[in-house]
Amino acid sequence: MSSKPLPILPGATLGILGGGQLGRMFTLAARTMGYKVMVLDPDGASPAGQMADEHVQADYTDLAALKKLGVACAAVTTEFENVPAASLIELARHCRVAPSAEAVAIAQDRGHEKTWLADNGFATAPFTLINSEADLDAALAKTGTPALLKVSRFGYDGKGQARIGTLDEARTAFREFGGLPCVLEGFVKLECELSVVLARDDAGQCERFPVAENRHVNGILDVSIVPARVPESLTQQARDMACAVAHKLDYVGVMAVEFFVADGRLLINEVAPRPHNSGHYTLDACVTDQFEQQVRVLCGLPLGDTRLLSPVVMLNILGDRWKNGGPHWDALLAQTNIKLHLYGKQTARPGRKMGHCNVLDADLNTALQLAEQIRNGL
Ligand code: AMP
């Protein structure tokens, strides 16, 4: 790699693979700090492309586009896990790339990720890899019912998942998923869900943001409540486990670890090699937000202070709200303690993340009530 010396300072150009909302918020953070940003995304109207100094509109495997990015940028990162590992390897021939292709590759595939977690001693929900229909019977005997069948690759926000009660249902779901490799997971009785967003730098220092308590609806994050309303011992354990995962991966960058809490125990659900939806609260409630942290770690700068400045509830705003004439922004914006973030997406679809807002209040329950009121009134 022909890397520029660290730290990379304002004035330099940074690159990001992926032009979605995470890329957009990275771009905004980087530009605020005086960096130029180049986005690679095939979509001409991507949320990040609208904000970048330059948008390279090409496929993630386009070698000429990757070279252009790698030559122009001092460092490149990614906003999503499905970027081909080969593209990161290609980029690394020209510039600094963080996180590494190896770390991203583990999180790309549910089966690979769960196997890696189990092999490294991290607790997960019981699971079995499914490569053919013939595997389903024995797998169901192991996990019991109900269970969840999840496609190993390209599933997100509850997509590519089916709840399974019988062998027949498992067979039908497996066929509906095109017979692709899947993971069959035991259905866990969740007490709650938590997540930890962290950054780990080249020297192995790990800075964690406060633990978020996450509530999902239909498999999609609805609200993150911070600080999480669980015993301190559990949040400490979650923070430690998240760092242990980052150390084991020798990870450099921002990442998120999602946890299930069941029987008072933490099980790792997923690892995301990027900033995370459940870390959006940091934009308005922490000294440093997760996107500034992504810029800092990419540039080899000291990691920012992750202190929480106020209790906060993050509410996702989904495309469903655009039915019947669109959201009532006036009611939301009439509240002076709510910060609105919209992603510039041109088409609203049910389940599509269009934006979020952060409700800040000295009293967490008041913030939660207001977030729910806004959600129901939008
Ligand atoms: P995932 O896409 O795997 O993160 O799943 C989305 C959401 O579905 C999770 O955040 C949980 O709310 C729920 N879920 C996923 N897997 C399980 C499981 N094994 N047991 C219970 N709930 C689950």
Side-chain angles (χ1 to χ4, degrees), residues 110 125 148 150 156-159 161 185-190 193 216 219-220 258 260 269-270:
R110 261 183 215 283
L148 283 167
K150 304 181 178 180
Y156 66 100
D157 286 341
K159 292 197 178 69
Q161 293 194 13
E185 234 177 83
F187 195 83
V188 176
K189 225 165 161 255
L190 302 176
E193 295 184 67
H216 294 78
I220 305 178
E258 289 182 79
F260 294 149
N269 174 31
E270 265 183 342

Side-chain angles (χ1 to χ4, degrees), residues 6 53 158 170 191 209 222 249 270 317 327:
L6 297 178
D53 293 273
E191 278 150 34
F209 287 98
D222 179 33
L249 284 171
E270 265 183 342
I317 301 172

